[in-house]
């Protein structure tokens, strides 16, 4: 098993499941379903701008959720549409991943006056932002189909979402953001990764590699499943892995405004207030890996002549840094779609 020996590095953490926030029953709100029949079966509005959706999806075999932040003047009956910013969460967000960015960042305040719909979809506890390979048989879960076909169609048909889109994500959501932008050319004008494992075939014989992260996320989020059901074995099904690897797809990001950031894994300004303690603290191996592969990815983009902005810093794999990185990247993301 690839995880042997990783527990000592402090990688496995408990992820508590949360109860779904919207009941699946009741009368569905107005709005056309997706082409395959996926439809909204519940709405909840906990705050003025916040609209939570429950979506019954045939490709997920159940109900998934998405949180929308609505712009000023939004109306379901408006004669106009609004650009869309997608924010994707990481693998440790649990079952309520659609609330992660609201809970851990100031995205609601940052977009208070922005003329944009913010979409924060559930990506599952270990979905990896992909349609699972499932030993070549396909089938559920199909997170990529849920997001970019079903949910996109629902938002465009019933919630006034327009064709101008940007996408960003933290950790595994950063992988999803860049993979989605590369695999679906023309769908997103801008894409940003904050600490994303954006080179899934990176190998480090002396330490952790990205395939270990895929195995780890499945072991925590869906322990009854086999991690190779995501894309297969990285050696035996290498073609499948390459088809979903931002590093291998880098050339397809031409024309997309790309931003990549990651910390080096060393404790930084948000990790410990005591002077002298930071230098003695152990390295965050998850963030160190994200730093390594993000640099590799940015380097390949530059070799290909694809413009990319970067921010590499001292810090760990934690929300205070992703909150800061979102604040810094948000103006450029919005400038591409508004």
């Amino acid at each position: 098993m690839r995880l042997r020996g990783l527990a000592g590095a402090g990688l496995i953490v408990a992820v508590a499941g949360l109860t779904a926030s919207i009941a699946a029953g009741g009368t569905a709100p107005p709005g056309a379903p997706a082409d395959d029949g996926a439809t909204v079966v519940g709405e909840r509005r906990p705050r003025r701008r916040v609209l939570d959706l429950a979506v019954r999806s045939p490709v997920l075999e159940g109900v998934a959720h998405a949180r929308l932040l609505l712009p000023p003047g939004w109306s379901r009956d408006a004669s106009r549409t609004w650009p869309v910013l997608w924010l994707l969460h990481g693998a440790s967000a649990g079952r309520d991943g659609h609330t992660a960015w609201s809970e851990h960042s100031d995205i609601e305040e940052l977009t208070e006056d922005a003329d944009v719909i913010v979409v924060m979809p559930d990506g599952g506890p270990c979905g990896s932002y992909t349609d699972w390979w499932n030993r070549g048989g396909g089938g559920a879960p199909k997170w990529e189909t849920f997001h970019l076909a079903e949910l996109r169609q629902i938002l465009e048909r019933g919630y006034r979402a327009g064709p101008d889109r940007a996408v960003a994500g933290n950790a595994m959501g950063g992988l999803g953001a860049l993979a989605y932008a590369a695999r679906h050319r023309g769908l997103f004008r801008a894409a940003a990764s904050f600490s994303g494992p954006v080179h899934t075939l990176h190998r480090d014989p002396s330490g952790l590699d990205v395939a270990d992260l895929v195995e780890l996320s499945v072991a925590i989020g869906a322990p009854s499943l086999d991690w190779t059901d995501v894309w297969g074995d990285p050696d035996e099904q290498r073609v499948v892995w390459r088809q979903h690897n931002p590093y291998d797809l880098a050339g397809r990001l031409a024309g997309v405004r790309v931003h990549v950031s990651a910390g080096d894994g060393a404790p930084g300004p948000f990790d410990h207030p005591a002077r002298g303690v930071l230098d003695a603290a152990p390295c965050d191996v998850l963030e160190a890996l994200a730093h390594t592969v993000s640099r590799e990815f940015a380097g390949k983009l530059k070799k290909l002549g694809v413009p990319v902005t970067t921010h590499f810093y001292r810090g760990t794999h934690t929300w205070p840094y992703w909150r800061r990185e979102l604040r810094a990247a948000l103006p450029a993301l919005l400038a591409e779609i508004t």
Side-chain angles (χ1 to χ4, degrees):
M1 184 179 180
R2 298 173 60 83
L3 288 176
R4 188 180 299 125
L6 293 181
L11 295 178
I12 299 181
V13 296
V15 179
L18 300 178
T19 302
S21 60
I22 307 175
T27 302
D35 290 345
D36 67 356
T39 189
V40 175
V41 294
E43 285 187 353
R44 187 171 69 95
R45 199 152 186 173
R47 293 183 291 282
R48 175 179 56 85
R49 293 182 56 228
V50 179
L51 180 61
D52 289 339
L53 308 180
V55 180
R56 185 174 297 282
S57 165
V59 302
L60 298 179
E61 297 182 345
V63 174
H65 302 86
R67 169 161 288 184
L68 311 184
L69 300 183
L70 303 174
W74 178 89
S75 168
R76 201 189 306 270
D77 301 320
S79 58
R80 59 161 293 186
T81 61
W82 279 266
V84 183
L85 170 65
W86 292 69
L87 286 182
L88 310 181
H89 63 77
S92 62
R95 295 181 179 178
D96 282 344
H98 65 292
T99 67
W101 278 103
S102 283
E103 293 173 352
H104 296 289
S105 81
D106 48 0
I107 184 61
E108 293 185 30
E109 292 79 5
L110 291 172
T111 59
E112 177 70 32
D113 299 317
D115 200 34
V116 63
I117 298 172
V118 181
V119 179
M120 296 171 283
D122 180 12
C126 57
S128 299
Y129 295 95
T130 191
D131 292 355
W132 281 35
W133 181 71
N134 287 329
R135 303 178 185 273
K142 292 186 175 183
W143 289 103
E144 188 171 1
T145 296
F146 169 66
H147 292 143
L148 302 187
E150 294 180 341
L151 184 56
R152 179 177 63 83
Q153 290 168 3
I154 286 170
L155 296 176
E156 291 175 357
R157 294 169 183 177
Y159 296 87
R160 310 308 300 164
D164 299 320
R165 310 173 196 89
V167 61
N170 67 302
M172 195 64 77
L175 164 67
L178 294 181
Y180 280 2
R183 284 172 52 79
H184 300 267
R185 299 183 75 170
L187 200 61
F188 296 99
R189 293 189 176 185
S193 167
F194 313 129
S195 305
V198 293
H199 185 356
T200 60
L201 288 170
H202 168 87
R203 291 290 179 87
D204 183 355
S206 64
L208 188 70
D209 60 48
V210 175
D212 293 318
L213 299 186
V214 176
E215 183 180 6
L216 179 64
S217 68
V218 174
I220 293 174
S224 64
L225 302 180
D226 189 322
W227 71 277
T228 60
D229 286 347
V230 179
W231 293 311
D233 180 272
D235 293 320
E236 296 177 11
Q237 282 76 44
R238 195 172 186 86
V239 171
V240 179
W241 280 71
R242 292 188 65 184
Q243 290 171 343
H244 297 85
N245 183 10
Y247 182 87
D248 283 310
L249 302 175
R252 295 176 59 87
L253 289 166
V256 178
R257 185 166 187 167
V258 180
H259 178 77
V260 178
S261 71
D264 61 5
F270 299 125
D271 293 300
H272 202 293
R275 184 182 297 274
V277 174
L278 295 181
D279 292 329
C283 179
D284 181 332
V285 293
L286 292 179
E287 190 66 12
L289 176 61
H291 183 267
T292 297
V293 298
S294 293
R295 282 189 173 276
E296 290 178 348
F297 175 72
K300 183 169 184 180
L301 286 176
K302 291 176 181 178
K303 287 182 180 179
L304 293 173
V306 178
V308 57
T309 58
T310 60
H311 182 217
F312 298 114
Y313 54 87
R314 186 173 189 177
T316 55
H317 203 71
T318 52
W319 273 104
Y321 295 99
W322 300 328
R323 183 164 52 244
R324 181 189 68 185
E325 294 306 301
L326 175 64
R327 289 193 201 113
L330 188 61
L333 292 170
L334 296 183
E336 289 298 313
I337 59 175
T338 59

